[in-house]
Amino acid sequence: MSETNIPRPEHPRPDFRRRDWLCLNGEWAFTFDDDDKGRREEWFRKSENIAGRIIVPFCYQSRASGIGDPSFHDVVWYARLFQLPASFNGRRVLLHFGAVDYQADVWVNGQFCGSHEGGHTPFKLDVTDICRQDYDNSLVLRAYDPSRDIEIPRGKQFWQENSAGCFYTRTTGIWQSVWLEAAGQRYIESLRITPDIDNFKAEVIIETDGFESGLEAEMEISFKGELMTCCRATMASSSAEL
């Protein structure tokens, strides 16, 4: 799949976009694991067992994924290769998943990176120490979606074979964008802006991934391309107010 027809190529978070990033949407290797043997057979090291194809970020139940199978498959595997852009060199590499339904395990280059539970929430993994700068990197994800478990958060996804009433077909596996970002050795984890219109100001709270002496936070505010103001603060902890 060429870069010109990658689905959902835009940055998934325009309110928190870093300059250097790489969209991982598009064609991935994919397979069902109805016998749940992939972990035992270490498919995260032998991705040739993941031999089918799917278009991410669409779930296999959707025709947009290239599969369109509404039947039950509670364990699925994904795999793909990626190369880091030169601009990522010497920086932290953050791997983002917009959402994976329901529970996800992730490996890069055969090494386990982390897990996430919750089909509707984004998560990220720092894969800096696992990625190789000048070679292909393998990314493998196992998703487990207990389709008939009515006790997990599921919205209106139906736990029976066919959709009925207000319930609709299930969503399993990756169903939101996947992307990589390059960040500094210390980077912003979250940013909260609270406007105070009456007093023509705004409160900005920055949370970083850690703290070290001499760390500074700087903010610029522009309007229609014109710089309006700039402020800087020396951080006394991993949180700063500007």
Side-chain angles (χ1 to χ4, degrees), residues 11 14 21 37 41 47 52 62-63 107 114 120 159 233:
H11 194 286
W21 72 288
K37 61 184 180 180
E41 296 181 356
S47 57
S62 167
R63 288 192 296 270
W107 294 263
H120 307 91
W159 53 90

Side-chain angles (χ1 to χ4, degrees), residues 28-177:
W28 290 50
F30 176 83
T31 195
F32 301 128
D33 185 11
D34 296 336
D35 296 327
D36 196 13
K37 61 184 180 180
R39 192 192 299 273
R40 183 174 64 255
E41 296 181 356
E42 297 189 340
W43 289 2
F44 49 87
R45 301 185 193 276
K46 309 167 186 175
S47 57
E48 63 269 14
N49 292 295
I50 310 171
R53 290 291 180 267
I54 193 170
I55 304 300
V56 168
F58 308 112
C59 64
Y60 79 79
Q61 292 94 339
S62 167
R63 288 192 296 270
S65 72
I67 299 176
D69 179 356
S71 58
F72 288 94
H73 300 284
D74 286 359
V75 181
V76 297
W77 288 77
Y78 297 78
R80 66 158 292 159
L81 299 175
F82 66 87
Q83 288 187 342
L84 294 179
S87 60
F88 281 46
N89 192 23
R91 303 168 68 186
R92 307 304 297 176
V93 180
L94 308 179
L95 173 61
H96 293 264
F97 292 88
V100 180
D101 200 354
Y102 175 72
Q103 192 269 335
D105 295 317
V106 182
W107 294 263
V108 172
N109 295 329
Q111 296 188 47
F112 181 68
C113 298
S115 297
H116 179 264
E117 183 173 302
H120 307 91
T121 52
F123 65 99
K124 77 170 180 2
L125 300 167
D126 188 329
V127 296
T128 310
D129 297 332
I130 302 174
C131 288
R132 301 180 292 239
Q133 181 64 42
D134 299 321
Y135 301 91
D136 283 340
N137 295 276
S138 68
L139 169 58
V140 175
L141 180 141
R142 175 189 182 269
Y144 169 56
D145 182 26
S147 304
R148 296 175 176 86
D149 186 346
I150 63 174
E151 295 185 357
I152 65 171
R154 63 171 51 252
K156 291 187 177 181
Q157 298 183 69
F158 208 16
W159 53 90
Q160 296 187 23
E161 187 72 28
N162 299 310
S163 300
C166 67
F167 294 99
Y168 54 74
T169 304
R170 296 157 300 284
T171 296
T172 296
I174 299 173
W175 66 281
Q176 293 288 341
S177 291

Side-chain angles (χ1 to χ4, degrees), residues 200-216:
F200 301 99
K201 64 180 183 179
E203 177 189 71
V204 179
I205 297 179
I206 294 173
E207 299 282 347
T208 62
D209 72 306
F211 174 73
E212 58 189 45
S213 179
L215 195 64
E216 291 186 336

Side-chain angles (χ1 to χ4, degrees), residues 9-24:
E10 70 279 1
H11 194 286
R13 288 202 58 187
D15 62 331
F16 201 87
R17 174 175 174 170
R18 292 184 170 91
R19 180 179 295 110
D20 296 308
W21 72 288
L22 177 67
C23 180
L24 296 182

